[in-house]
Amino acid sequence: MNKARLEAFSDGVIAIALSLAAHLSATAIYVLLALLWFLLDHHVGAARPD
């Protein structure tokens, strides 16, 4: 592998890693919000006598 090809390959790997990290962090935020909503809803629902 020559240097230019190696640099292009590493740039591609970095770009894939960054897009994957962004996707995973967005998914993690969504899951945390859903979990928080579920816990709050469950807690408020348990506090109501009906």
Side-chain angles (χ1 to χ4, degrees), residues 7-42:
E7 286 176 356
F9 176 75
S10 67
D11 285 350
V13 169
I14 289 168
I16 291 168
L18 285 176
S19 65
L20 189 62
H23 180 71
L24 288 175
S25 62
T27 304
I29 289 168
Y30 176 76
V31 168
L32 284 173
L33 285 174
L35 187 63
L36 184 66
W37 175 82
F38 175 78
L39 289 174
L40 286 174
D41 187 59
H42 186 73

